[in-house]
């Protein structure tokens, strides 16, 4: 998108978080477009907003998913991890809560973009770094737990993260990845929501991404040399009528992010302008008030890095 800027687009150097600027490995430029803020420096790898609107949505999502996981921050059976990496940390809310729960631990949140708070627990720090580099993990050693957040269908990034995680974990360390995808019972239907998913699937593919990548976490972990992989999924019906409040709120939180999630990829790969994307997302949300058959699936993959040890049992 940086090569296709309009007169309404503006650039600015990131002047936030001077106190933690030393954690950045390079200066970052911001792009302002249609009232949203993006990282111009990392737009290819992270084509989604990094502004306060998106931060608020992601922080609410964290609270809702924690409730879905019955208060747990992770599903791996590790009671008090000492050294933790939170990869694709986003707003950093997971990393900060982990640091607060385990004050004797050292928690590092790592991401491509700067969305994290200035003020953090003393045992937590954030690094903005290029996770797309093969050697991203070399400065981290003896890690007890690697927590990988949503990677938005980027199979190449997933490979780099799994390879790096396997290298920097201590023997017997744990790796857990969590992400979400939409599963439609009848993907060929022509509702506005189905149309939205079809076009986003095309845009993802043209961007080198795979919308259903979370369904393949187990296979990817196995392909990268992990054994005894455990997968778990939570199915949240897209039709929220008659469903419990928590599942309904998770769906609402997800749909609130459709525009930010879609705009850059739809413009870049399908030529849609801002108005077209806004109208498409609004129509998709309205369609969800009907009887869309399918669900938003939360998928997790978890494995212990030491050969031969069994993965965790259902809790």
């Amino acid at each position: 998108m940086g090569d296709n800027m309009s007169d309404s687009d503006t650039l600015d150097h990131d002047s936030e978080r001077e106190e933690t600027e030393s954690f950045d490995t390079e200066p970052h430029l911001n792009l302002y477009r249609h009232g949203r803020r993006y990282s111009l420096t990392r737009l290819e790898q992270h084509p989604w907003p990094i502004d306060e609107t998106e931060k608020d949505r992601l922080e609410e999502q964290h609270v809702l998913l924690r409730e879905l996981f019955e208060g747990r921050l992770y599903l791996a059976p590790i009671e008090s991890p000492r050294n933790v990496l939170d990869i694709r940390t986003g707003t950093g809310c997971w990393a900060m809560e982990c640091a607060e729960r385990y004050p004797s631990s050292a928690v590092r949140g790592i991401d491509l973009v700067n969305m994290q708070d200035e003020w953090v627990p003393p045992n937590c720090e954030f690094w903005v770094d290029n996770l797309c580099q093969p050697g991203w993990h070399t400065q981290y050693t003896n890690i007890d737990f690697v927590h990988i957040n949503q990677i938005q269908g980027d199979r190449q990034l997933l490979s780099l993260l799994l390879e790096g995680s396997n290298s920097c974990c201590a023997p017997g360390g744990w790796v857990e990845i969590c992400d979400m995808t939409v599963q439609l019972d009848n993907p060929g239907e022509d509702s506005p929501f189905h149309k939205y998913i079809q076009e986003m699937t095309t845009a993802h593919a043209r961007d080198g991404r795979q919308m259903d990548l979370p369904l393949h976490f187990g296979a990817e972990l196995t392909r990268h040399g992990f054994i005894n992989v455990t997968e778990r999924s939570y199915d949240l019906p897209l039709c929220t009528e008659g469903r419990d409040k928590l599942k309904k709120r998770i769906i609402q939180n997800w749909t609130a992010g459709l525009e930010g999630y879609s705009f850059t990829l739809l413009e870049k790969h399908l030529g849609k302008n801002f108005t077209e994307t806004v109208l498409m997302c609004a129509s998709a949300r309205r369609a969800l008030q009907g009887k869309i058959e399918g669900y938003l699936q939360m998928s997790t993959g978890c494995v212990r890095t030491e050969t031969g040890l069994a993965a965790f049992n259902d809790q």
Side-chain angles (χ1 to χ4, degrees):
M1 190 163 73
D3 296 330
N4 189 33
M5 293 175 59
S6 69
D7 292 339
S8 63
D9 299 333
T10 59
L11 298 175
D12 189 16
H13 284 280
D14 193 347
S15 60
E16 298 182 359
R17 285 184 58 206
E18 294 178 359
E19 295 88 345
T20 55
E21 189 66 26
S22 61
F23 295 151
D24 279 349
T25 59
E26 59 187 77
H28 289 260
L29 279 173
N30 288 325
L31 171 67
Y32 293 85
R33 165 166 278 194
H34 302 296
R36 305 301 300 267
R37 177 162 61 95
Y38 300 81
S39 168
L40 182 64
T41 308
R42 296 281 182 235
L43 196 59
E44 289 296 316
Q45 300 97 336
H46 188 94
W48 304 286
I50 59 171
D51 53 22
E52 293 301 320
T53 298
E54 183 65 2
K55 289 181 185 180
D56 290 345
R57 188 186 73 84
L58 292 174
E59 288 176 358
E60 180 190 42
Q61 183 182 89
H62 167 71
V63 172
L64 294 172
L65 294 181
R66 183 185 60 202
E67 186 174 349
L68 180 69
F69 298 153
E70 299 178 334
R72 292 171 291 184
L73 288 179
Y74 51 82
L75 303 180
I78 180 170
E79 293 184 1
S80 185
R82 295 166 299 171
N83 295 304
V84 180
L85 289 186
D86 183 35
I87 301 177
R88 289 295 271 164
T89 191
T91 65
C93 50
W94 186 96
M96 287 189 288
E97 184 164 345
C98 184
E100 290 171 349
R101 288 196 185 191
Y102 306 107
S104 62
S105 68
V107 182
R108 295 183 181 92
I110 317 169
D111 211 331
L112 292 158
V113 295
N114 184 338
M115 297 180 70
Q116 299 81 44
D117 284 344
E118 294 180 23
W119 309 112
V120 299
N123 58 325
C124 179
E125 62 183 21
F126 295 115
W127 293 78
V128 179
D129 206 350
N130 189 357
L131 294 167
C132 299
Q133 296 282 353
W136 68 266
H137 63 279
T138 55
Q139 60 186 315
Y140 308 108
T141 58
N142 205 34
I143 303 300
D144 298 304
F145 182 47
V146 178
H147 178 259
I148 303 175
N149 289 293
Q150 300 170 26
I151 58 171
Q152 310 290 12
D154 192 332
R155 183 183 288 273
Q156 183 177 359
L157 177 60
L158 177 59
S159 291
L160 288 170
L161 296 183
L162 294 182
E163 289 168 5
S165 297
N166 208 359
S167 297
C168 68
C169 266
W174 289 86
V175 177
E176 183 168 309
I177 182 169
C178 181
D179 207 342
M180 61 179 69
T181 190
V182 171
Q183 290 279 84
L184 292 170
D185 292 353
N186 300 295
E189 289 187 12
D190 61 355
S191 79
F193 184 79
H194 286 76
K195 179 66 173 176
Y196 168 81
I197 295 297
Q198 291 162 10
E199 300 224 351
M200 283 297 292
T201 300
T202 300
H204 270 66
R206 293 179 182 176
D207 204 59
R209 301 176 187 275
Q210 184 177 342
M211 279 190 72
D212 67 349
L213 185 57
L215 304 181
H216 306 280
F217 282 164
E220 287 297 305
L221 284 161
T222 301
R223 188 169 71 87
H224 285 84
F226 295 99
I227 65 170
N228 295 321
V229 177
T230 296
E231 298 178 84
R232 186 175 296 172
S233 64
Y234 296 80
D235 296 338
L236 309 172
L238 293 169
C239 180
T240 59
E241 183 179 351
R243 305 294 179 179
D244 66 71
K245 184 178 179 181
L246 174 61
K247 292 180 179 179
K248 184 174 183 179
R249 289 176 63 198
I250 293 174
I251 296 294
Q252 289 173 339
N253 174 275
W254 177 73
T255 60
L258 292 187
E259 286 84 358
Y261 184 60
S262 311
F263 174 63
T264 302
L265 294 181
L266 290 179
E267 180 193 49
K268 179 179 180 180
H269 297 294
L270 299 183
K272 293 189 177 296
N273 61 37
F274 179 74
T275 301
E276 289 173 320
T277 297
V278 169
L279 292 175
M280 174 180 285
C281 292
S283 296
R285 270 192 294 269
R286 283 196 297 271
L288 282 175
Q289 297 175 7
K291 299 290 184 180
I292 299 296
E293 298 296 332
Y295 47 89
L296 180 68
Q297 184 180 82
M298 292 294 309
S299 299
T300 65
C302 182
V303 68
R304 198 170 189 178
T305 55
E306 190 169 72
T307 302
L309 291 175
F312 66 92
N313 298 318
D314 284 351
Q315 300 178 17

